[in-house]
Amino acid sequence: MKKIVLVFMVLAVTFTSAFAQEADFIDTDKKVNLNTNEVYLAAGSSSFVGLFSGIIVGIADAIPRSQGEGSNTTEAYPFGVTAGYNHFFWNHLGVGGFVSYESFQPLNLITIQAKVTGQYGWEHFKFYHAISGGIVIVPGGGVSPAFDVTVLGLKADFERFNIFLEGSFPTTSIVKAGASFKF
C-alpha cells in the first residue's frame, strides 16, 4: 500500500510541476507576437545592374539614331517592382524570398532570390538589413547568378501591417518603398 501511495505522490508532484511551469508561462506579462509571416509589395527606382546595363543598351541604340536611322525603342522611365514573403523568428531574424521585375527600356530583368533579414529597434519602428542570393533572368538573354544587399531599411511596424523604405544594391531597386500584410 505504501508503494502505491508513493507512486501517486511522485506522479502528482511531476504533473503539478509541469502544469505550474505552463501556468507561469501563460501568466507572464510578455507580449507574444503571433503574426510572424508577412507578404509584401514594393516599388522603386531602377537597380544598379539595370541602370548600368540600360545605359549601355541606350548608347548602343542611340548610335544608329545619330546616323539618321530609325529606332524601335520607346521612351520610358526606369522602375522596379518587388513581391515577396518573410517568416520572422524571435522578431529579429527573418528568412524568405522574393521576385523582382525591373524595366529599363529596352531592357527587362526578372530576379528570383532567397533572403535573410536581421531587424532591430522598438515596438513600432525598426531598422533592418538583409542579404539575398538567387538568379537574374534576362528575357531572350539567359540566366545569371545574382545577389542583393539591403544596406538600410526603415520600417513602421504595426500588428497586422507595416510600411517600409529601403536602400539596396546591386540587383533590386536602389530605393524602394512598400507595404506588407502580416499574418
Side-chain angles (χ1 to χ4, degrees):
M1 181 72 173
K2 290 181 185 179
K3 290 181 184 179
I4 293 175
V5 172
L6 186 61
V7 168
F8 281 125
M9 287 178 57
V10 169
L11 288 174
V13 169
T14 304
F15 284 115
T16 304
S17 298
F19 288 119
Q21 289 173 353
E22 266 186 38
D24 288 343
F25 176 73
I26 292 171
D27 290 337
T28 60
D29 291 333
K30 288 187 176 182
K31 183 179 176 184
V32 178
N33 185 7
L34 299 176
N35 300 322
T36 58
N37 299 301
E38 71 178 6
V39 292
Y40 62 90
L41 186 62
S45 65
S46 178
S47 68
F48 280 113
V49 170
L51 182 65
F52 292 120
S53 300
I55 289 171
I56 291 169
V57 169
I59 291 170
D61 189 47
I63 292 172
R65 273 193 277 158
S66 68
Q67 297 173 354
E69 297 176 19
S71 175
N72 58 0
T73 61
T74 58
E75 296 293 323
Y77 295 104
F79 71 95
V81 178
T82 304
Y85 166 80
N86 287 324
H87 176 78
F88 282 94
F89 302 96
W90 312 291
N91 201 26
H92 298 290
L93 177 67
V95 295
F98 64 88
V99 175
S100 180
Y101 171 77
E102 180 180 351
S103 178
F104 196 116
Q105 292 296 337
L107 182 67
N108 295 315
L109 301 172
I110 300 168
T111 307
I112 302 169
Q113 296 188 36
K115 176 172 145 179
V116 176
T117 304
Q119 71 178 7
Y120 53 93
W122 299 274
E123 183 177 357
H124 293 296
F125 183 77
K126 294 184 172 62
F127 299 98
Y128 63 93
H129 310 283
I131 188 164
S132 59
I135 59 171
V136 62
I137 303 166
V138 180
V143 177
S144 299
F147 74 95
D148 198 63
V149 176
T150 300
V151 179
L152 180 62
L154 307 172
K155 181 191 294 189
D157 194 13
F158 302 101
E159 185 176 343
R160 300 291 288 175
F161 72 96
N162 65 51
I163 54 175
F164 59 89
L165 177 67
E166 67 182 34
S168 303
F169 75 93
T171 57
T172 62
S173 299
I174 298 169
V175 176
K176 63 180 159 265
S180 72
F181 173 73
K182 297 179 353 180
F183 57 98

Short mmCIF file of all heavy atoms in Angstrom, two decimals, residues 31-94:
data_model
loop_
_atom_site.label_atom_id
_atom_site.label_comp_id
_atom_site.label_asym_id
_atom_site.label_seq_id
_atom_site.Cartn_x
_atom_site.Cartn_y
_atom_site.Cartn_z
N LYS A 31 4.51 40.34 -24.20
CA LYS A 31 3.62 40.36 -25.35
C LYS A 31 4.15 39.36 -26.38
O LYS A 31 5.31 39.43 -26.78
CB LYS A 31 3.57 41.76 -25.95
CG LYS A 31 2.62 41.87 -27.11
CD LYS A 31 2.62 43.29 -27.63
CE LYS A 31 1.75 43.38 -28.85
NZ LYS A 31 1.78 44.70 -29.43
N VAL A 32 3.32 38.43 -26.79
CA VAL A 32 3.71 37.43 -27.76
C VAL A 32 3.11 37.81 -29.11
O VAL A 32 1.91 37.97 -29.24
CB VAL A 32 3.22 36.02 -27.34
CG1 VAL A 32 3.58 35.00 -28.39
CG2 VAL A 32 3.80 35.65 -26.00
N ASN A 33 3.98 37.99 -30.11
CA ASN A 33 3.53 38.35 -31.45
C ASN A 33 3.26 37.07 -32.25
O ASN A 33 4.19 36.32 -32.53
CB ASN A 33 4.58 39.22 -32.15
CG ASN A 33 4.11 39.71 -33.49
OD1 ASN A 33 2.96 39.53 -33.88
ND2 ASN A 33 5.01 40.35 -34.22
N LEU A 34 2.01 36.84 -32.60
CA LEU A 34 1.66 35.65 -33.34
C LEU A 34 1.74 35.87 -34.85
O LEU A 34 1.64 34.92 -35.60
CB LEU A 34 0.26 35.18 -32.95
CG LEU A 34 0.09 34.83 -31.48
CD1 LEU A 34 -1.36 34.47 -31.18
CD2 LEU A 34 1.01 33.70 -31.08
N ASN A 35 1.92 37.10 -35.29
CA ASN A 35 2.00 37.40 -36.72
C ASN A 35 3.45 37.36 -37.17
O ASN A 35 4.12 38.38 -37.27
CB ASN A 35 1.39 38.79 -37.01
CG ASN A 35 -0.05 38.86 -36.59
OD1 ASN A 35 -0.79 37.89 -36.75
ND2 ASN A 35 -0.46 39.99 -36.06
N THR A 36 3.95 36.18 -37.45
CA THR A 36 5.36 36.02 -37.80
C THR A 36 5.59 35.90 -39.30
O THR A 36 6.72 35.87 -39.74
CB THR A 36 5.96 34.79 -37.11
OG1 THR A 36 5.21 33.63 -37.50
CG2 THR A 36 5.93 34.96 -35.60
N ASN A 37 4.54 35.81 -40.09
CA ASN A 37 4.65 35.73 -41.54
C ASN A 37 4.19 37.04 -42.16
O ASN A 37 3.28 37.68 -41.65
CB ASN A 37 3.77 34.60 -42.09
CG ASN A 37 4.18 33.26 -41.55
OD1 ASN A 37 5.31 32.84 -41.72
ND2 ASN A 37 3.26 32.59 -40.86
N GLU A 38 4.83 37.41 -43.27
CA GLU A 38 4.40 38.61 -43.96
C GLU A 38 4.61 38.46 -45.46
O GLU A 38 5.55 37.82 -45.90
CB GLU A 38 5.11 39.86 -43.43
CG GLU A 38 6.56 39.97 -43.78
CD GLU A 38 7.21 41.25 -43.27
OE1 GLU A 38 6.57 42.02 -42.53
OE2 GLU A 38 8.37 41.49 -43.62
N VAL A 39 3.68 39.04 -46.21
CA VAL A 39 3.83 39.17 -47.66
C VAL A 39 3.92 40.65 -47.95
O VAL A 39 3.28 41.46 -47.28
CB VAL A 39 2.66 38.50 -48.43
CG1 VAL A 39 2.70 37.01 -48.28
CG2 VAL A 39 1.32 39.04 -48.00
N TYR A 40 4.75 41.01 -48.93
CA TYR A 40 4.95 42.43 -49.18
C TYR A 40 5.01 42.73 -50.67
O TYR A 40 5.27 41.85 -51.50
CB TYR A 40 6.20 42.95 -48.47
CG TYR A 40 7.49 42.31 -48.92
CD1 TYR A 40 8.24 42.85 -49.96
CD2 TYR A 40 7.98 41.18 -48.29
CE1 TYR A 40 9.43 42.28 -50.36
CE2 TYR A 40 9.17 40.60 -48.67
CZ TYR A 40 9.89 41.16 -49.71
OH TYR A 40 11.07 40.59 -50.10
N LEU A 41 4.77 43.99 -50.98
CA LEU A 41 4.85 44.52 -52.33
C LEU A 41 5.56 45.86 -52.24
O LEU A 41 5.23 46.69 -51.38
CB LEU A 41 3.46 44.68 -52.93
CG LEU A 41 3.37 45.10 -54.38
CD1 LEU A 41 4.00 44.04 -55.28
CD2 LEU A 41 1.93 45.30 -54.78
N ALA A 42 6.55 46.07 -53.11
CA ALA A 42 7.33 47.31 -53.09
C ALA A 42 7.56 47.79 -54.52
O ALA A 42 7.60 47.00 -55.45
CB ALA A 42 8.67 47.09 -52.40
N ALA A 43 7.71 49.09 -54.66
CA ALA A 43 8.02 49.69 -55.95
C ALA A 43 9.13 50.71 -55.74
O ALA A 43 9.24 51.32 -54.68
CB ALA A 43 6.79 50.37 -56.54
N GLY A 44 9.96 50.86 -56.78
CA GLY A 44 11.07 51.79 -56.64
C GLY A 44 11.76 52.09 -57.94
O GLY A 44 11.25 51.85 -59.03
N SER A 45 12.94 52.61 -57.80
CA SER A 45 13.76 53.03 -58.93
C SER A 45 14.40 51.82 -59.60
O SER A 45 14.18 50.68 -59.21
CB SER A 45 14.84 53.98 -58.44
OG SER A 45 15.73 53.27 -57.59
N SER A 46 15.22 52.07 -60.56
CA SER A 46 16.00 51.02 -61.22
C SER A 46 17.11 50.54 -60.28
O SER A 46 17.49 51.23 -59.35
CB SER A 46 16.61 51.59 -62.50
OG SER A 46 17.40 50.63 -63.14
N SER A 47 17.63 49.34 -60.53
CA SER A 47 18.76 48.83 -59.76
C SER A 47 20.07 49.30 -60.39
O SER A 47 20.09 49.84 -61.50
CB SER A 47 18.72 47.30 -59.75
OG SER A 47 18.98 46.80 -61.04
N PHE A 48 21.19 49.08 -59.69
CA PHE A 48 22.49 49.40 -60.26
C PHE A 48 22.75 48.59 -61.52
O PHE A 48 23.23 49.12 -62.52
CB PHE A 48 23.62 49.14 -59.24
CG PHE A 48 23.78 50.23 -58.23
CD1 PHE A 48 23.48 50.00 -56.90
CD2 PHE A 48 24.23 51.48 -58.60
CE1 PHE A 48 23.63 50.99 -55.97
CE2 PHE A 48 24.39 52.48 -57.67
CZ PHE A 48 24.08 52.24 -56.34
N VAL A 49 22.43 47.30 -61.48
CA VAL A 49 22.62 46.45 -62.66
C VAL A 49 21.76 46.95 -63.82
O VAL A 49 22.24 47.09 -64.95
CB VAL A 49 22.29 44.98 -62.33
CG1 VAL A 49 22.25 44.13 -63.58
CG2 VAL A 49 23.29 44.43 -61.33
N GLY A 50 20.50 47.22 -63.56
CA GLY A 50 19.61 47.73 -64.61
C GLY A 50 20.02 49.09 -65.11
O GLY A 50 19.94 49.38 -66.31
N LEU A 51 20.48 49.95 -64.21
CA LEU A 51 20.90 51.30 -64.59
C LEU A 51 22.09 51.25 -65.54
O LEU A 51 22.06 51.84 -66.62
CB LEU A 51 21.24 52.10 -63.34
CG LEU A 51 21.66 53.55 -63.53
CD1 LEU A 51 20.52 54.36 -64.11
CD2 LEU A 51 22.11 54.13 -62.21
N PHE A 52 23.14 50.53 -65.15
CA PHE A 52 24.33 50.48 -66.00
C PHE A 52 24.09 49.69 -67.28
O PHE A 52 24.56 50.08 -68.35
CB PHE A 52 25.53 49.93 -65.22
CG PHE A 52 25.98 50.88 -64.14
CD1 PHE A 52 25.98 50.49 -62.82
CD2 PHE A 52 26.37 52.18 -64.45
CE1 PHE A 52 26.38 51.37 -61.83
CE2 PHE A 52 26.77 53.06 -63.47
CZ PHE A 52 26.77 52.66 -62.15
N SER A 53 23.36 48.59 -67.19
CA SER A 53 23.03 47.83 -68.40
C SER A 53 22.14 48.64 -69.32
O SER A 53 22.31 48.63 -70.54
CB SER A 53 22.33 46.52 -68.04
OG SER A 53 23.15 45.73 -67.24
N GLY A 54 21.18 49.35 -68.75
CA GLY A 54 20.28 50.18 -69.55
C GLY A 54 21.02 51.32 -70.23
O GLY A 54 20.70 51.68 -71.37
N ILE A 55 21.99 51.89 -69.55
CA ILE A 55 22.78 52.97 -70.16
C ILE A 55 23.58 52.44 -71.34
O ILE A 55 23.63 53.05 -72.41
CB ILE A 55 23.70 53.63 -69.11
CG1 ILE A 55 22.86 54.46 -68.14
CG2 ILE A 55 24.76 54.49 -69.78
CD1 ILE A 55 23.62 54.98 -66.95
N ILE A 56 24.19 51.27 -71.18
CA ILE A 56 24.96 50.68 -72.28
C ILE A 56 24.05 50.34 -73.45
O ILE A 56 24.38 50.64 -74.60
CB ILE A 56 25.73 49.44 -71.78
CG1 ILE A 56 26.83 49.89 -70.82
CG2 ILE A 56 26.32 48.64 -72.94
CD1 ILE A 56 27.51 48.77 -70.06
N VAL A 57 22.90 49.74 -73.17
CA VAL A 57 21.94 49.42 -74.25
C VAL A 57 21.43 50.71 -74.90
O VAL A 57 21.27 50.77 -76.11
CB VAL A 57 20.78 48.56 -73.70
CG1 VAL A 57 19.65 48.44 -74.71
CG2 VAL A 57 21.28 47.19 -73.31
N GLY A 58 21.19 51.74 -74.08
CA GLY A 58 20.73 53.02 -74.62
C GLY A 58 21.76 53.67 -75.54
O GLY A 58 21.42 54.24 -76.58
N ILE A 59 23.02 53.60 -75.15
CA ILE A 59 24.09 54.16 -76.01
C ILE A 59 24.18 53.38 -77.31
O ILE A 59 24.29 53.96 -78.39
CB ILE A 59 25.44 54.16 -75.25
CG1 ILE A 59 25.41 55.19 -74.12
CG2 ILE A 59 26.60 54.43 -76.20
CD1 ILE A 59 26.59 55.10 -73.17
N ALA A 60 24.12 52.04 -77.20
CA ALA A 60 24.17 51.21 -78.41
C ALA A 60 22.97 51.49 -79.31
O ALA A 60 23.08 51.44 -80.54
CB ALA A 60 24.21 49.74 -78.03
N ASP A 61 21.83 51.82 -78.73
CA ASP A 61 20.64 52.13 -79.51
C ASP A 61 20.69 53.55 -80.09
O ASP A 61 20.12 53.83 -81.13
CB ASP A 61 19.40 51.98 -78.62
CG ASP A 61 18.12 52.06 -79.41
OD1 ASP A 61 18.03 51.39 -80.45
OD2 ASP A 61 17.20 52.79 -78.97
N ALA A 62 21.41 54.47 -79.39
CA ALA A 62 21.47 55.86 -79.85
C ALA A 62 22.43 56.04 -81.02
O ALA A 62 22.28 56.99 -81.80
CB ALA A 62 21.90 56.76 -78.70
N ILE A 63 23.40 55.16 -81.18
CA ILE A 63 24.37 55.29 -82.28
C ILE A 63 23.67 55.24 -83.64
O ILE A 63 23.90 56.11 -84.47
CB ILE A 63 25.50 54.26 -82.14
CG1 ILE A 63 26.34 54.61 -80.92
CG2 ILE A 63 26.36 54.20 -83.39
CD1 ILE A 63 27.37 53.57 -80.55
N PRO A 64 22.78 54.25 -83.90
CA PRO A 64 22.09 54.26 -85.20
C PRO A 64 21.19 55.49 -85.37
O PRO A 64 21.07 56.02 -86.48
CB PRO A 64 21.25 52.99 -85.18
CG PRO A 64 21.88 52.10 -84.18
CD PRO A 64 22.51 53.01 -83.18
N ARG A 65 20.57 55.97 -84.29
CA ARG A 65 19.72 57.16 -84.40
C ARG A 65 20.53 58.40 -84.74
O ARG A 65 20.06 59.29 -85.44
CB ARG A 65 18.98 57.39 -83.08
CG ARG A 65 17.69 56.62 -83.02
CD ARG A 65 16.83 57.10 -81.89
NE ARG A 65 17.29 56.42 -80.66
CZ ARG A 65 17.08 56.86 -79.44
NH1 ARG A 65 16.43 57.98 -79.24
NH2 ARG A 65 17.52 56.19 -78.40
N SER A 66 21.76 58.49 -84.25
CA SER A 66 22.58 59.66 -84.54
C SER A 66 23.02 59.69 -86.00
O SER A 66 23.37 60.75 -86.51
CB SER A 66 23.81 59.69 -83.62
OG SER A 66 24.68 58.62 -83.94
N GLN A 67 22.96 58.56 -86.66
CA GLN A 67 23.32 58.48 -88.06
C GLN A 67 22.10 58.53 -88.97
O GLN A 67 22.17 58.21 -90.15
CB GLN A 67 24.14 57.20 -88.33
CG GLN A 67 25.44 57.21 -87.58
CD GLN A 67 26.18 55.89 -87.69
OE1 GLN A 67 25.68 54.93 -88.25
NE2 GLN A 67 27.39 55.86 -87.16
N GLY A 68 20.95 58.91 -88.39
CA GLY A 68 19.74 59.09 -89.19
C GLY A 68 18.89 57.84 -89.35
O GLY A 68 17.85 57.89 -89.99
N GLU A 69 19.30 56.74 -88.79
CA GLU A 69 18.50 55.53 -88.89
C GLU A 69 17.44 55.53 -87.80
O GLU A 69 17.61 56.12 -86.74
CB GLU A 69 19.39 54.29 -88.75
CG GLU A 69 20.42 54.17 -89.85
CD GLU A 69 21.36 52.98 -89.63
OE1 GLU A 69 20.99 52.08 -88.86
OE2 GLU A 69 22.44 53.00 -90.21
N GLY A 70 16.34 54.86 -88.03
CA GLY A 70 15.25 54.78 -87.05
C GLY A 70 15.59 53.84 -85.91
O GLY A 70 16.54 53.07 -85.96
N SER A 71 14.81 53.93 -84.88
CA SER A 71 14.97 53.07 -83.73
C SER A 71 13.61 52.55 -83.30
O SER A 71 12.62 53.25 -83.43
CB SER A 71 15.62 53.85 -82.58
OG SER A 71 15.67 53.04 -81.44
N ASN A 72 13.56 51.36 -82.78
CA ASN A 72 12.28 50.79 -82.37
C ASN A 72 12.04 50.88 -80.88
O ASN A 72 11.13 50.29 -80.36
CB ASN A 72 12.18 49.33 -82.82
CG ASN A 72 13.30 48.48 -82.24
OD1 ASN A 72 14.15 48.97 -81.52
ND2 ASN A 72 13.28 47.20 -82.59
N THR A 73 12.85 51.62 -80.12
CA THR A 73 12.64 51.74 -78.69
C THR A 73 11.72 52.91 -78.39
O THR A 73 11.62 53.87 -79.15
CB THR A 73 13.98 51.96 -77.94
OG1 THR A 73 14.57 53.17 -78.41
CG2 THR A 73 14.91 50.80 -78.16
N THR A 74 11.06 52.84 -77.27
CA THR A 74 10.17 53.91 -76.83
C THR A 74 10.74 54.51 -75.56
O THR A 74 11.44 53.84 -74.80
CB THR A 74 8.76 53.37 -76.54
OG1 THR A 74 8.87 52.35 -75.54
CG2 THR A 74 8.14 52.78 -77.80
N GLU A 75 10.41 55.76 -75.32
CA GLU A 75 10.86 56.42 -74.10
C GLU A 75 10.04 55.91 -72.92
O GLU A 75 8.83 55.82 -72.98
CB GLU A 75 10.68 57.94 -74.23
CG GLU A 75 11.53 58.56 -75.33
CD GLU A 75 13.01 58.49 -75.03
OE1 GLU A 75 13.39 58.64 -73.85
OE2 GLU A 75 13.78 58.26 -75.97
N ALA A 76 10.71 55.55 -71.84
CA ALA A 76 10.03 55.07 -70.63
C ALA A 76 10.91 55.37 -69.43
O ALA A 76 12.12 55.48 -69.54
CB ALA A 76 9.75 53.58 -70.72
N TYR A 77 10.27 55.49 -68.27
CA TYR A 77 11.01 55.73 -67.04
C TYR A 77 11.40 54.39 -66.43
O TYR A 77 10.59 53.46 -66.37
CB TYR A 77 10.15 56.53 -66.06
CG TYR A 77 9.84 57.91 -66.56
CD1 TYR A 77 8.59 58.21 -67.08
CD2 TYR A 77 10.81 58.90 -66.54
CE1 TYR A 77 8.30 59.47 -67.56
CE2 TYR A 77 10.54 60.17 -67.01
CZ TYR A 77 9.28 60.45 -67.52
OH TYR A 77 9.02 61.70 -67.99
N PRO A 78 12.62 54.27 -65.94
CA PRO A 78 13.02 53.01 -65.30
C PRO A 78 12.30 52.82 -63.97
O PRO A 78 12.10 53.78 -63.23
CB PRO A 78 14.52 53.17 -65.09
CG PRO A 78 14.76 54.63 -65.11
CD PRO A 78 13.69 55.25 -65.97
N PHE A 79 11.89 51.59 -63.69
CA PHE A 79 11.22 51.29 -62.43
C PHE A 79 11.45 49.83 -62.07
O PHE A 79 11.82 49.02 -62.92
CB PHE A 79 9.72 51.60 -62.50
CG PHE A 79 8.95 50.62 -63.36
CD1 PHE A 79 8.33 49.53 -62.79
CD2 PHE A 79 8.87 50.80 -64.73
CE1 PHE A 79 7.64 48.62 -63.58
CE2 PHE A 79 8.17 49.91 -65.53
CZ PHE A 79 7.56 48.80 -64.94
N GLY A 80 11.19 49.50 -60.82
CA GLY A 80 11.28 48.13 -60.36
C GLY A 80 10.12 47.83 -59.42
O GLY A 80 9.68 48.69 -58.67
N VAL A 81 9.62 46.59 -59.47
CA VAL A 81 8.53 46.13 -58.61
C VAL A 81 8.99 44.83 -57.97
O VAL A 81 9.55 43.97 -58.65
CB VAL A 81 7.24 45.90 -59.41
CG1 VAL A 81 6.14 45.37 -58.52
CG2 VAL A 81 6.79 47.17 -60.09
N THR A 82 8.76 44.69 -56.66
CA THR A 82 9.17 43.50 -55.93
C THR A 82 8.01 42.96 -55.11
O THR A 82 7.29 43.72 -54.47
CB THR A 82 10.34 43.84 -54.97
OG1 THR A 82 11.41 44.41 -55.72
CG2 THR A 82 10.84 42.62 -54.24
N ALA A 83 7.83 41.64 -55.14
CA ALA A 83 6.84 40.96 -54.31
C ALA A 83 7.56 39.84 -53.57
O ALA A 83 8.39 39.15 -54.15
CB ALA A 83 5.72 40.38 -55.16
N GLY A 84 7.25 39.68 -52.27
CA GLY A 84 7.98 38.67 -51.51
C GLY A 84 7.26 38.19 -50.28
O GLY A 84 6.15 38.62 -49.95
N TYR A 85 7.94 37.28 -49.59
CA TYR A 85 7.42 36.65 -48.37
C TYR A 85 8.56 36.56 -47.35
O TYR A 85 9.70 36.26 -47.72
CB TYR A 85 6.91 35.24 -48.68
CG TYR A 85 6.68 34.39 -47.46
CD1 TYR A 85 5.53 34.53 -46.70
CD2 TYR A 85 7.64 33.48 -47.04
CE1 TYR A 85 5.32 33.77 -45.57
CE2 TYR A 85 7.45 32.70 -45.90
CZ TYR A 85 6.28 32.85 -45.18
OH TYR A 85 6.09 32.10 -44.05
N ASN A 86 8.26 36.82 -46.08
CA ASN A 86 9.22 36.67 -44.98
C ASN A 86 8.57 35.92 -43.83
O ASN A 86 7.38 36.09 -43.56
CB ASN A 86 9.68 38.03 -44.43
CG ASN A 86 10.60 38.75 -45.38
OD1 ASN A 86 11.41 38.14 -46.05
ND2 ASN A 86 10.48 40.06 -45.41
N HIS A 87 9.37 35.11 -43.15
CA HIS A 87 8.95 34.48 -41.89
C HIS A 87 9.98 34.91 -40.84
O HIS A 87 11.18 34.70 -41.03
CB HIS A 87 8.91 32.96 -42.00
CG HIS A 87 8.59 32.30 -40.69
ND1 HIS A 87 7.30 32.24 -40.21
CD2 HIS A 87 9.38 31.73 -39.76
CE1 HIS A 87 7.31 31.64 -39.03
NE2 HIS A 87 8.57 31.32 -38.74
N PHE A 88 9.50 35.51 -39.74
CA PHE A 88 10.41 36.01 -38.71
C PHE A 88 10.46 35.08 -37.51
O PHE A 88 9.44 34.61 -37.02
CB PHE A 88 9.98 37.41 -38.25
CG PHE A 88 10.38 38.47 -39.22
CD1 PHE A 88 9.50 38.90 -40.20
CD2 PHE A 88 11.64 39.01 -39.18
CE1 PHE A 88 9.88 39.86 -41.11
CE2 PHE A 88 12.04 39.97 -40.08
CZ PHE A 88 11.15 40.39 -41.05
N PHE A 89 11.69 34.81 -37.05
CA PHE A 89 11.95 34.06 -35.83
C PHE A 89 12.39 35.06 -34.77
O PHE A 89 13.22 35.92 -35.04
CB PHE A 89 13.08 33.05 -36.04
CG PHE A 89 12.80 32.07 -37.15
CD1 PHE A 89 13.31 32.29 -38.42
CD2 PHE A 89 12.03 30.95 -36.91
CE1 PHE A 89 13.07 31.39 -39.43
CE2 PHE A 89 11.79 30.04 -37.92
CZ PHE A 89 12.30 30.26 -39.18
N TRP A 90 11.90 34.92 -33.56
CA TRP A 90 12.31 35.76 -32.42
C TRP A 90 12.18 37.25 -32.70
O TRP A 90 12.82 38.06 -32.07
CB TRP A 90 13.75 35.48 -32.01
CG TRP A 90 14.05 34.04 -31.87
CD1 TRP A 90 13.57 33.20 -30.93
CD2 TRP A 90 14.88 33.27 -32.72
NE1 TRP A 90 14.07 31.94 -31.14
CE2 TRP A 90 14.88 31.96 -32.24
CE3 TRP A 90 15.64 33.56 -33.86
CZ2 TRP A 90 15.58 30.95 -32.84
CZ3 TRP A 90 16.33 32.55 -34.45
CH2 TRP A 90 16.32 31.27 -33.94
N ASN A 91 11.40 37.63 -33.67
CA ASN A 91 11.14 39.03 -34.02
C ASN A 91 12.39 39.78 -34.48
O ASN A 91 12.38 40.98 -34.64
CB ASN A 91 10.47 39.77 -32.87
CG ASN A 91 9.75 41.01 -33.34
OD1 ASN A 91 9.32 41.09 -34.49
ND2 ASN A 91 9.60 41.98 -32.46
N HIS A 92 13.52 39.08 -34.66
CA HIS A 92 14.75 39.74 -35.09
C HIS A 92 15.38 39.13 -36.33
O HIS A 92 16.15 39.78 -37.01
CB HIS A 92 15.80 39.73 -33.96
CG HIS A 92 15.37 40.47 -32.75
ND1 HIS A 92 15.25 41.83 -32.71
CD2 HIS A 92 15.00 40.03 -31.52
CE1 HIS A 92 14.83 42.20 -31.51
NE2 HIS A 92 14.67 41.12 -30.77
N LEU A 93 15.10 37.88 -36.62
CA LEU A 93 15.70 37.18 -37.74
C LEU A 93 14.61 36.66 -38.65
O LEU A 93 13.69 35.99 -38.20
CB LEU A 93 16.55 36.01 -37.24
CG LEU A 93 17.18 35.13 -38.31
CD1 LEU A 93 18.24 35.93 -39.07
CD2 LEU A 93 17.78 33.89 -37.70
N GLY A 94 14.70 37.00 -39.93
CA GLY A 94 13.70 36.55 -40.89
C GLY A 94 14.33 35.86 -42.08
O GLY A 94 15.45 36.18 -42.48
#
